[in-house]
Amino acid sequence: MTQSVWGPVQQEMSDLLQGYPDDVPAVVDQLTKLQDILMRVPPLLRENPLGDFNKLYLTITEGVLEKLYDGEFKDPAFLSRLDVEFAARYFDALRAWAGSGSSPRCPQVWSTLFARIPGPDCRPLPSACAGVNAHINYDLPFALVTTFDHLGTEPVDDSDQHHDYLVINEIFADSIPGLRRGYLEKWQLLIDMMNGCLDDWWQGEAVEYTRNVAWRNAQKLWGFRHDMGALDKERAGLDRVASDLNRLLLSPLGAFLQ
């Protein structure tokens, strides 16, 4: 399976995934290198559906790094650690997808997107949305729990950490219009112009709602974070729900997003 997916860039992908970024600049660097590799995976090359998500993820992470440099977070240590933990889950999913039979199972929600890499039926915007769904609805709650556990704090509403978490919504809101239009063809851009800011608004609202749900799920997980059985059960449930949504996004019906 590995060779058929990564083809001639197999070794580059393997080398890249050996590393674990330990700060936000390193996450940006690894996502940048991953984007270059994904654009050379046959047969779709620059139209790789995972590349459509990775480009969005890279843009958002660059926005996070810029705000860190500008001192706009109340608890930069929290935000930096969360960014690293969050990215680790994405890279872990890629390792699991490309690994041997002894590797951990790739989450189903990521598999639904990774399986489309050989093409040819994925549109850019649904592909990017499927990646966002996998990363926020499935990965983010667990990244939050691990981050709070590492820092010895907990997910409390209206805390400095919660404030910083919500700042990321602003980065999405600023980035979505340009990113979304980059996925559209010329005739779609005309329709988009006729809609005004409506499409940007509802997609921004969708991201904010989804991230709020992820925060609530992290608070729920926090209560039984040391119960491996309960965690595995919740993980399976979140994977199942997010996978169902990804199948919808990547179906012919999902093409209406485009």
Side-chain angles (χ1 to χ4, degrees):
M1 179 186 66
T2 304
Q3 183 64 28
S4 66
V5 172
W6 305 127
V9 299
Q10 163 63 31
Q11 189 58 53
E12 290 179 77
M13 183 66 78
S14 178
D15 292 343
L16 179 70
L17 294 178
Q18 287 182 12
Y20 283 86
D22 56 5
D23 57 24
V24 182
V27 173
V28 169
D29 180 66
Q30 192 149 345
L31 289 172
T32 301
K33 292 175 180 176
L34 177 59
Q35 186 68 21
D36 173 70
I37 294 172
L38 290 172
M39 294 300 94
R40 292 183 283 115
V41 174
L44 299 181
L45 301 178
R46 299 192 65 83
E47 296 186 5
N48 186 311
L50 182 57
D52 295 322
F53 162 70
N54 195 81
K55 179 174 68 174
L56 182 154
Y57 187 23
L58 173 58
T59 299
I60 299 301
T61 308
E62 288 173 334
V64 171
L65 182 59
E66 182 177 343
K67 286 188 178 294
L68 278 169
Y69 285 153
D70 291 344
E72 296 188 30
F73 294 111
K74 293 184 177 181
D75 188 347
F78 161 76
L79 211 290
S80 298
R81 183 71 189 192
L82 176 60
D83 195 272
V84 169
E85 293 289 347
F86 194 34
R89 281 150 179 79
Y90 173 45
F91 295 127
D92 281 345
L94 281 166
R95 291 184 189 96
W97 175 254
S100 65
S102 60
S103 298
R105 183 185 68 84
C106 181
Q108 186 59 39
V109 65
W110 279 115
S111 295
T112 57
L113 179 58
F114 296 163
R116 301 300 184 100
I117 291 172
D121 59 342
C122 278
R123 306 292 289 177
L125 187 55
S127 297
C129 289
V132 170
N133 169 56
H135 210 25
I136 294 180
N137 279 325
Y138 179 72
D139 290 336
L140 185 51
F142 295 100
L144 280 163
V145 169
T146 304
T147 298
F148 281 115
D149 203 35
H150 174 80
L151 296 176
T153 55
E154 56 185 280
V156 176
D157 289 352
D158 301 322
S159 61
D160 287 349
Q161 295 79 19
H162 191 212
H163 167 273
D164 290 347
Y165 180 81
L166 295 178
V167 169
I168 307 302
N169 294 343
E170 300 173 12
I171 299 175
F172 270 99
D174 292 339
S175 303
I176 280 176
L179 284 166
R180 190 174 60 78
R181 291 182 179 93
Y183 297 127
L184 303 180
E185 298 176 9
K186 290 183 178 179
W187 66 271
Q188 294 167 324
L189 287 170
L190 177 62
I191 297 175
D192 182 76
M193 183 174 62
M194 294 170 62
N195 286 339
C197 297
L198 180 61
D199 290 339
D200 296 332
W201 174 81
W202 81 258
Q203 289 184 348
E205 288 293 304
V207 169
E208 182 174 347
Y209 173 80
T210 303
R211 296 190 78 252
N212 286 340
V213 170
W215 178 266
R216 297 300 175 207
N217 281 332
Q219 290 177 317
K220 177 183 177 182
L221 292 169
W222 183 257
F224 50 81
R225 63 190 182 281
H226 300 307
D227 185 337
M228 294 299 104
L231 275 177
D232 287 345
K233 182 178 179 180
E234 190 68 19
R235 194 187 314 276
L238 289 175
D239 192 10
R240 181 173 60 255
V241 172
S243 298
D244 288 343
L245 180 53
N246 259 13
R247 292 187 185 94
L248 177 62
L249 289 167
L250 297 171
S251 71
L253 180 61
F256 283 112
L257 280 170
Q258 184 73 15

